[in-house]
Amino acid sequence: MIITTFLVIFRRNNNILRSIGITAHATIILILSDHLVSTTRTYIGFKNNLQGSFSGLFLHCISFSLIAVLLTSLSSFFFSQFQASKQIDLRENRIFILANFFTLIIYYCSIIMGSFLGNTSDLIQMNFFFFLLYLCLSIIAFSFYYRAMKAKVEMIKKESDYQALMEYTESMENQYKEVRKFRHDFQNILNSLDDYVLSEDFSGLKNYYLNEIKPTSEEISEMNFKLTELQNIKQREIKSVLALKLMTAQNIEIEVNLEVKEVIEDIPLDAIVLVRVLGILLDNAIEAIEELAIGKLTVAVFKNKQEIQFIIQNDCKDHMPSIQQLKKEGFSTKGDNRGLGLSNIKEMLANYKNVVLKTTIKDQLFTQQFIITRRDI
C-alpha cells in the first residue's frame, strides 16, 4: 500500500522528496487512526479480537476511516494556513519531510516489536501513547527549528535591507555628483557666451549654439532616463535595485526607457525574492544588449486592483533558443557556467502561487513579464 501510494503521488508531481513526505505523512495518519480506534474500543469494552466478529471489524473499519479523513482534513487545513501565513510549503520542506520519514520508521519498528510480543490491548495502548508522545516531541522540535530558521531569515532580510540601503545611498550620491558636474558645466557654458554677447557676434553665437550647446543638451536629455519616476515606487529595496541596474545600463551607454506612472506600494511578495528576481532579469537584459553592442532596455511597472506587473524588455539576437531551453539549469547563450539565472528564478518562485513569469521572444525583442497577483483576490 505504501509503495503504491508513493508511486501514484510521484507520478502526479514528479518530485521524489515531496512524494516521500506526503506518503509518510499519510501513513502516519493511518497508523494513529487505527491505534486510536483500537484504544477507544478497549476502553468502551469491545472485544479485543475482531477476527471472529464481522460486525466488530466493520465498525472498526468505519471508525478508522472517519478518523483518518478527519485527521487528513485537519492536516490539510494546517498546511494551507501555515503556507499562507509563513510563506512556507511544509510539503516541500526537507526537514519536515525527513521528520515524517523517520517518524514512520520508528512507528513501524514499534508495531513490528508489538506483533512479536502478541499485540495485546495493553501493548496497543502503550504504543498509541508512545506514538502521541513522539509526535508531540517532533512537533515541539520542529517548532524550535522553525523559530531558528525564521530568525535566520529575518537576519538575512536585515542584511539585504542594509545592502539595499547602501546601494540606494550610493546611487543617490552618484546622482548628486552628476548634478554638481552639470552645474559646473552649465556655469562654464554661460561664461563662454560672455564674449559672443559682449562683442555682439551673433553669427558666432549661433554657430557656437548649434555646434556645441545643442548637441550637449541633447546628450544630457538622452542620458536622463526619468529617474524621478522611481519616486512612485515606495518600497525602498525595489527602488534601489531598479536605480542601480538602470544607472549601470546608462553608464555603458545603453538606451534606457523607464515607465512608472502610478504609485507602487505594498507589493505582495517577499522583498528579498523580488529583489533577486528583478536583479537577475535586469542583469540578463543588460548582458544581452552588451553582446549585441546596440539596443534598448525598457522597464515598465503597472498595477491594477488584481495585480502588479514588472515588464523588462530588451533587444536580442535574431535566432534565439527556445524558451524551454533558456529555463533549463546550466543552459546559457553566454558561455559555460552562466546558465543559472532563469533556473534560479524558477526555483525561487516554486513555492509562490501568486506569481507568474511570462517570457516571449518576438521581432528580436526579449520580453519578461513578471506578474504578482494580490493574495486577497
Side-chain angles (χ1 to χ4, degrees):
M1 182 194 70
I2 294 175
I3 294 174
T4 303
T5 303
F6 169 79
L7 292 176
V8 170
I9 296 173
F10 179 73
R11 186 175 180 181
R12 289 185 61 184
N13 55 53
N14 199 29
N15 186 314
I16 293 179
L17 279 179
R18 182 184 176 94
S19 302
I20 290 174
I22 294 175
T23 304
H25 187 77
T27 308
I28 289 171
I29 288 177
L30 295 177
I31 292 172
L32 290 175
S33 301
D34 181 55
H35 280 69
L36 176 60
V37 172
S38 298
T39 302
T40 304
R41 188 189 69 243
T42 301
Y43 275 109
I44 62 178
F46 278 23
K47 293 180 180 180
N48 292 327
N49 185 5
L50 298 177
Q51 297 297 326
S53 172
F54 176 80
S55 60
L57 179 61
F58 179 76
L59 180 62
H60 180 94
C61 291
I62 293 296
S63 303
F64 159 75
S65 300
L66 291 175
I67 293 175
V69 170
L70 177 62
L71 292 179
T72 301
S73 301
L74 290 174
S75 296
S76 179
F77 176 77
F78 170 75
F79 287 157
S80 61
Q81 292 296 313
F82 193 88
Q83 181 176 356
S85 60
K86 311 298 183 185
Q87 293 298 313
I88 297 176
D89 188 353
L90 290 177
R91 291 166 295 187
E92 300 283 354
N93 186 277
R94 294 189 178 186
I95 299 298
F96 188 77
I97 291 172
L98 291 175
N100 275 281
F101 179 71
F102 286 113
T103 298
L104 180 62
I105 291 177
I106 291 173
Y107 278 14
Y108 263 105
C109 287
S110 298
I111 291 172
I112 292 171
M113 289 290 292
S115 65
F116 277 114
L117 296 176
N119 264 345
T120 63
S121 59
D122 291 337
L123 188 58
I124 292 174
Q125 293 176 48
M126 185 180 70
N127 262 350
F128 176 62
F129 289 117
F130 166 73
F131 292 163
L132 288 180
L133 177 63
Y134 184 82
L135 181 64
C136 291
L137 291 176
S138 298
I139 293 173
I140 292 172
F142 184 79
S143 66
F144 278 112
Y145 159 76
Y146 170 72
R147 289 183 181 179
M149 183 175 63
K150 183 179 179 181
K152 182 180 179 180
V153 170
E154 289 178 351
M155 182 181 67
I156 294 174
K157 188 177 186 303
K158 287 180 179 178
E159 292 178 354
S160 177
D161 289 345
Y162 176 77
Q163 183 64 27
L165 178 61
M166 292 298 101
E167 292 178 352
Y168 184 65
T169 302
E170 182 181 355
S171 67
M172 291 301 100
E173 288 177 353
N174 290 334
Q175 287 294 308
Y176 178 67
K177 290 177 182 178
E178 290 295 327
V179 171
R180 290 186 62 187
K181 180 182 177 182
F182 175 75
R183 286 178 59 189
H184 182 265
D185 292 342
F186 184 70
Q187 185 65 41
N188 289 335
I189 291 172
L190 290 178
N191 293 334
S192 67
L193 297 177
D194 282 349
D195 184 62
Y196 291 101
V197 174
L198 292 177
S199 63
E200 298 183 355
D201 183 5
F202 296 113
S203 177
L205 178 61
K206 180 180 178 181
N207 291 332
Y208 180 68
Y209 170 77
L210 293 176
N211 296 327
E212 301 293 337
I213 297 179
K214 189 175 181 180
T216 303
S217 175
E218 291 174 351
E219 182 180 351
I220 292 173
S221 178
E222 290 176 0
M223 291 292 284
N224 175 21
F225 60 85
K226 301 178 183 178
L227 186 64
T228 55
E229 290 200 8
L230 283 176
Q231 300 303 316
N232 288 331
I233 298 179
K234 301 304 180 182
Q235 199 162 334
R236 186 180 60 199
E237 303 93 331
I238 312 307
K239 183 190 299 183
S240 174
V241 71
L242 288 175
L244 188 64
K245 299 301 181 182
L246 295 179
M247 287 180 64
T248 300
Q250 175 188 7
N251 291 335
I252 58 178
E253 299 182 356
I254 292 177
E255 182 183 353
V256 176
N257 183 32
L258 173 67
E259 183 176 347
V260 190
K261 299 299 183 183
E262 301 168 299
V263 175
I264 307 295
E265 54 187 357
D266 298 328
I267 301 175
L269 182 64
D270 184 86
I272 296 177
V273 174
L274 184 53
V275 165
R276 291 178 64 190
V277 170
L278 292 177
I280 291 173
L281 295 179
L282 288 167
D283 284 342
N284 287 349
I286 292 171
E287 288 181 4
I289 297 174
E290 277 190 293
E291 191 174 356
L292 286 175
I294 189 173
K296 180 179 179 181
L297 172 63
T298 300
V299 178
V301 187
F302 304 101
K303 76 169 185 178
N304 55 40
K305 292 182 179 180
Q306 288 78 29
E307 61 192 25
I308 297 174
Q309 292 190 29
F310 291 84
I311 298 175
I312 299 173
Q313 186 180 80
N314 61 273
D315 292 291
C316 63
K317 295 178 179 179
D318 190 12
H319 301 287
M320 288 288 291
S322 66
I323 295 172
Q324 290 73 19
Q325 281 183 298
L326 292 172
K327 291 185 177 181
K328 285 183 180 179
E329 183 174 351
F331 181 85
S332 175
T333 60
K334 299 183 287 292
D336 296 334
N337 301 319
R338 300 289 297 278
L340 297 176
L342 293 181
S343 63
N344 282 346
I345 291 178
K346 183 179 178 181
E347 183 178 345
M348 279 188 288
L349 300 180
N351 295 332
Y352 295 91
K353 308 302 181 184
N354 66 318
V355 297
V356 176
L357 179 61
K358 296 181 179 179
T359 304
T360 57
I361 305 173
K362 185 178 181 181
D363 299 329
Q364 291 184 262
L365 289 176
F366 190 89
T367 305
Q368 298 275 18
Q369 188 178 7
F370 186 47
I371 304 171
I372 307 171
T373 306
R374 300 188 188 278
R375 296 189 184 95
D376 55 350
I377 299 300

